[in-house]
Amino acid sequence: MAGRNGRTVRDLRRANRTAVLQRLYFDGPLSRFELGPATGLSSGSVSNVVADLVADGLVEEAGSVDSDGGRPRTLLRVAPVSGHMIGVDVGETRVRVELFDLTLTELARAQRPLEQQRYEVEVIVDHIRSGIAEVLAGAGLAPERLLGVGIGVPGIVEHTPDRGAVVHGQTIGWDAVPLESLLRAGSPLPETVPYFIDNGARTLGQAEMWFGAGRGARNALVVLFGSGVGACLVTPEVEHGRAVEWGHLTVRVRGRRCRCGALGCLEAYAGAESLLARWREEGGRVPGGTDEETALTAMLAAAYPADDSAPDPVALAVLEETAEYLGAGLSDLINLFQPERILMGGWAGLQLGSRFLPSVRRHALSYALRHPAGKVTIELGRLGPDAVTVGAAILPLADFFARGGRRPDPDPQSPPPAWHTALRERTPR
C-alpha cells in the first residue's frame, strides 16, 4: 500500500535498511544507541532493522564499549564477507581486474597488458572476461555470489534500454561500442550479476570522494592524468560526479593534432603520450621499445636526477611546458566551477607526483581569477594506481546500498533507485 507521498511499506523498509547499512559502512562500528541519531530513525526502528540485517548475515557484532552507568553497548559493523564486487579499469597501458569484499579489501587481481595501446574491442572484451574468471578462481568464489561488476572505460558512456551501456571512445577508435551486450555474450557470469559501466575519470573521482583526498568536500574536481587527461566534477548539483571531457578543450588555435583528430586540444599538450612525443621531437633520448610508463620514468630521471648530475634541459623544458598547459587547463575549471579542491590522479599524474605538482599549481593559480583561486587547493589523489578499479567496484556497492542490502531481483515489482542515484545520496563525512 502506498502512502500520500507514493512510498510503499516496502520502500520504507528498504530506505531504513539503506540508512543503517551506510552509517555502519562509513562510520562504524557503531552501537544501536549511536545509530539512532546517526540515521534519524527511532530506537525501535533501529532495533528492527539491525535484527533484520543480522539475520541476513549483512551485519555482525564487533566488540563492545562501556556506557554511562549501564551495561556495555554492543558495537556493530558490516560483515566483510557478506558481499563481493569486481572492479575493472580499462586503462591506457593495461586492463586491471580486482575482486573485493564488501569493505573493499582486495582479494585477488589480474592484469592484461595492452600492446602499443591496442584497443580492439574483441581484445578488451576477452581481457575483461578472462580477468573476471581468473580472480574468481583465485579467490575460490562462485560467480553467483557477486553483487556486480563495475567497469571504468575511456570515453563517453551512454546507457540505452536495448543494448545496455554503449561506449563512445573517439580517442581509442570506439564508435558506439555496445560493451555491455558484448560482455554478456559468452560471459562467465550468470544473468543475475549486473554490469555497471562508466567513464574511468568518473570512477576515479568517485573513489577519491568516498575514500580518498576528496572526502568531506562538497565541490571538487578529480583529474585523471594518464596517456590523455580527463576530469570528474562533483558539486552539490551533481554529487554523484559527472565526467568532463576536459582533455578536449581547445588551448591553442591551429595547434598540435590531438589523438581525437582535432587541433589544439589540451590532451595534445598535457597527456603523457604527447609529453613523450614532444620530448622526442625536441631531441630527447626516449628509450626505444618501452611502454609509456617506463619511458616517462626515464624522462623524470633525466629531468630530476637522483645524484648531483645536471638535469637534461630538454626534458626539464618539456615538463615545465606541460605543467603550464595543465595549469592553464585547471584555471579554466577553477573559473567555471569554483571547486574547493582539485585532486590529480591517474598513473602519469601519480608518477610525476610531488616534484611536478608545485609548478602545475603555480600556473593554475596565476591564470585563474583571484577570488576562486584563493579558495581552491590542488593536491595529489591518495588512492594510488588502483583508484579507478576501486571506484568501479563502488558502482555495484552503491546499487547494493540502494536496494537496502538485497541482491538484484531479476523481476522487481518496485525497482530501487538507480546506482547513480545512490552515489548522489551518499555524502561522505
Side-chain angles (χ1 to χ4, degrees), residues 316-386:
L316 201 56
V318 172
L319 282 169
E320 178 55 32
E321 184 185 43
T322 301
E324 185 167 6
Y325 274 113
L326 267 177
L330 291 179
S331 74
D332 290 336
L333 298 179
I334 293 170
N335 292 342
L336 285 169
F337 302 115
Q338 301 179 33
E340 297 170 42
R341 300 178 200 173
I342 294 177
L343 310 173
M344 188 166 73
W347 68 264
L350 297 173
Q351 198 165 330
L352 291 168
S354 57
R355 286 181 171 177
F356 185 68
L357 191 62
S359 184
V360 174
R361 185 185 293 119
R362 184 177 68 254
H363 288 300
L365 300 183
S366 67
Y367 280 111
L369 294 170
R370 287 193 300 272
H371 181 69
K375 294 187 173 183
V376 69
T377 61
I378 303 173
E379 55 192 276
L380 292 175
R382 294 178 188 165
L383 296 182
D386 294 337

Side-chain angles (χ1 to χ4, degrees), residues 93-106:
T93 59
R94 63 177 59 85
V95 173
R96 178 183 284 119
V97 181
E98 297 183 43
L99 173 67
F100 302 92
D101 68 15
L102 200 64
T103 59
L104 286 173
T105 298
E106 182 188 315

Side-chain angles (χ1 to χ4, degrees), residues 113-129:
L114 296 178
E115 297 180 4
Q116 298 179 343
Q117 297 177 292
R118 295 174 60 189
Y119 282 96
E120 287 91 342
V121 174
E122 296 80 7
V123 171
I124 299 298
V125 169
D126 182 65
H127 283 344
I128 295 173
R129 283 182 188 155

Side-chain angles (χ1 to χ4, degrees), residues 12-53:
L12 182 61
R13 286 175 178 168
R14 183 176 61 226
N16 289 349
R17 284 169 62 101
T18 295
V20 171
L21 274 173
Q22 287 186 334
R23 286 278 72 83
L24 287 176
Y25 191 86
F26 290 98
D27 304 323
L30 296 171
S31 66
R32 291 172 177 79
F33 179 79
E34 293 170 310
L35 278 169
T39 60
L41 300 177
S42 68
S43 58
S45 293
V46 167
S47 294
N48 290 336
V49 171
V50 167
D52 195 23
L53 293 173

